[in-house]
Amino acid sequence: MPTIAYLPPFGGMNENESWLSVADRRKLIGKGQAGSVIRNLLLDLHDAHESTIEEKKNELFPSKKRLTQADQQVLKDVSTEWRQLKEILPEVFHVNLYVHDFDSQFHNFISVDVIDLIKNPDTQEKERNNSSKRDLMVEGSGFLQWLSVFALALDKNNDVLLLDEPDAHLHSS
């Protein structure tokens, strides 16, 4: 039986978001409150990425304590859903995401920040503007609508996304 995620126009985001089980997330998504689980989804994508990179590192470089730049480049080329998201955000929205470490024994809430990117005049590469770090909640509903759809599309717990007015409030980018 396929798992369906219903996504009306963005809603349900709170100032604080606790860690939720997959069942609790499905319940909230079923009520049309994707905003209530967006930090959970991003944390899952981030943690899955970190785990994949660690596994690949142990597989390719089992005895190395320190990796060379070439070794690190090999790991940077490993494709994950988190990397896909992190490649698209700078291109479309000129921002990046920073997921804070989360340990259920010490933390009550999941924290995700948005960081503006600025173009370095010397290299033309986009760099972090750390003075612009802010919580995900203060972003506009158009950005959050896009982010929730994208995160749910990448989430392996969903087979089908049912989009209700998917273009409502979308960011112009």
Side-chain angles (χ1 to χ4, degrees):
M1 177 162 239
T3 303
I4 299 172
Y6 168 64
L7 283 165
F10 188 80
M13 186 165 220
N14 296 316
E15 187 175 333
N16 295 316
E17 183 178 325
S18 300
W19 181 87
L20 300 167
S21 70
V22 173
D24 288 333
R25 294 177 207 183
R26 284 187 182 145
K27 185 169 101 178
L28 288 167
I29 291 169
K31 291 180 178 179
Q33 296 185 346
S36 298
V37 301
I38 193 165
R39 291 183 188 100
N40 275 270
L41 293 170
L42 294 172
L43 176 66
D44 283 354
L45 290 172
H46 177 266
D47 288 352
H49 165 78
E50 293 294 319
S51 179
T52 299
I53 296 301
E54 190 62 31
E55 287 171 14
K56 199 67 163 172
K57 178 181 156 194
N58 292 335
E59 175 188 319
L60 296 173
F61 316 108
S63 60
K64 285 190 175 182
K65 298 248 188 249
R66 296 189 121 204
L67 300 181
T68 65
Q69 283 187 334
D71 297 341
Q72 291 174 8
Q73 187 59 47
V74 168
L75 293 176
K76 282 186 181 180
D77 292 339
V78 174
S79 180
T80 65
E81 289 82 1
W82 179 251
R83 269 231 173 99
Q84 290 174 351
L85 179 61
K86 297 274 283 189
E87 288 171 3
I88 291 172
L89 284 172
E91 291 300 315
V92 178
F93 297 104
H94 311 292
V95 299
N96 222 330
L97 296 176
Y98 176 76
V99 177
H100 293 264
D101 291 337
F102 179 81
D103 183 335
S104 61
Q105 294 184 16
F106 302 105
H107 302 111
N108 292 321
F109 304 110
I110 298 170
S111 183
V112 178
D113 288 333
V114 177
I115 301 169
D116 288 328
L117 298 176
I118 53 175
K119 207 178 256 187
N120 181 329
D122 299 328
T123 64
Q124 297 302 308
E125 294 288 320
K126 291 184 179 175
E127 297 177 345
R128 290 169 62 154
N129 176 7
N130 287 323
S131 64
S132 72
K133 192 162 42 170
R134 60 197 175 274
D135 183 69
L136 187 62
M137 185 180 180
V138 301
E139 294 304 302
S141 62
F143 172 78
L144 294 171
Q145 171 84 350
W146 180 91
L147 186 60
S148 65
V149 169
F150 201 84
L152 281 163
L154 293 173
D155 183 12
K156 290 177 173 49
N157 292 313
N158 299 310
D159 300 316
V160 177
L161 295 183
L162 180 60
L163 304 176
D164 180 4
E165 299 181 40
D167 57 348
H169 313 296
L170 276 183
H171 190 282
S172 58
S173 296

